[in-house]
């Protein structure tokens, strides 16, 4: 059973990470990560849950189809779970069926990008521009009628702030 679950997770990750490297490089702006908020590891461990720390500070990935915001579509704004920096508006969210919350664009200047060659893949990592927290990755297989981007985001790296009624 454990082997089947691992195989299923690998297939899901592979499908979610499918991309055209040339288009992805053109799509994502390449900036040197320079977060504005700096804390020690001990300070981050006091602020974040274990899972948030693993994702935001150690670049882990939550299991697909398990995150709080995967199927969440209320009106509002998604902010960084570590520092509260506004990252994504709810009208940029779409259902990509990849297992993680997906957005077609980030709020301008809210994120920074870094080439990521880990796990035998060529991807573009997306981080909070304020604290440098790992949010996920951006791919060029998003909705063609909007930006063509898919910001594949870990639910534990974000918090939802509902729109005022």
């Amino acid at each position: 059973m454990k082997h089947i679950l691992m195989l299923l997770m690998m297939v899901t990750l592979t499908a979610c990470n499918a991309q055209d490297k040339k288009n992805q490089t053109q799509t994502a702006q390449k900036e040197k990560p320079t977060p504005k908020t700096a804390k020690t590891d001990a300070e981050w461990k006091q602020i974040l849950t274990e899972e948030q720390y693993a994702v935001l500070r150690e670049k882990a990935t939550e299991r697909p189809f398990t995150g709080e915001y995967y199927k969440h579509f209320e009106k509002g704004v998604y902010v960084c779970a570590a520092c509260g920096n506004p990252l994504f508006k709810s009208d940029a969210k779409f259902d990509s069926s990849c297992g993680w919350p997906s957005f077609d664009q980030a709020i301008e200047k809210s994120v920074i990008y870094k080439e990521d060659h880990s796990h035998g893949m060529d991807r573009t990592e997306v981080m909070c521009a304020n604290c440098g927290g790992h949010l996920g990755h951006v791919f060029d297989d998003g909705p063609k009628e909007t930006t063509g981007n898919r910001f594949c985001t870990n639910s534990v790296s974000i918090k939802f702030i509902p729109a005022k009624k």
Side-chain angles (χ1 to χ4, degrees):
M1 181 68 170
K2 187 176 182 180
H3 291 1
I4 293 171
L5 287 174
M6 288 297 289
L7 180 62
L8 180 60
M9 187 169 173
M10 288 175 60
V11 168
T12 302
L13 283 172
T14 301
C16 198
N17 291 329
Q19 62 187 298
D20 176 0
K21 181 181 176 187
K22 180 180 176 186
N23 290 339
Q24 176 207 19
T25 301
Q26 293 171 349
T27 300
Q29 353 165 355
K30 302 295 182 203
E31 297 180 23
K32 185 175 181 182
T34 53
K36 300 169 189 152
T37 300
K39 295 189 183 318
T40 66
D41 284 342
E43 289 172 318
W44 284 124
K45 285 180 179 179
Q46 288 180 348
I47 296 169
L48 304 170
T49 67
E50 279 187 41
E51 188 177 19
Q52 286 174 324
Y53 183 85
V55 170
L56 286 157
R57 308 316 310 167
E58 297 177 327
K59 303 178 189 299
T61 301
E62 68 189 1
R63 290 187 338 268
F65 306 102
T66 63
E68 177 180 4
Y69 301 120
Y70 170 56
K71 291 287 188 182
H72 183 264
F73 290 98
E74 290 180 43
K75 294 290 181 195
V77 175
Y78 295 85
V79 302
C80 177
C83 70
N85 182 34
L87 302 167
F88 304 102
K89 294 179 182 176
S90 60
D91 59 0
K93 193 167 189 306
F94 68 98
D95 185 0
S96 69
S97 301
C98 74
W100 292 274
S102 297
F103 303 88
D104 66 359
Q105 64 184 339
I107 294 172
E108 191 173 344
K109 298 183 181 181
S110 67
V111 299
I112 50 180
Y113 305 89
K114 181 181 175 189
E115 288 185 23
D116 178 4
H117 303 289
S118 64
H119 307 293
M121 295 179 269
D122 292 324
R123 306 177 289 179
T124 300
E125 179 184 7
V126 179
M127 296 169 291
C128 174
N130 189 55
C131 71
H134 172 78
L135 305 171
H137 294 86
V138 64
F139 303 100
D140 66 353
D141 59 359
K144 298 299 181 206
E145 60 276 4
T146 59
T147 65
N149 291 327
R150 174 175 55 93
F151 287 80
C152 189
T153 309
N154 291 284
S155 283
V156 299
S157 70
I158 56 178
K159 286 185 183 175
F160 178 72
I161 308 296
K164 295 183 180 180
K165 295 180 181 184

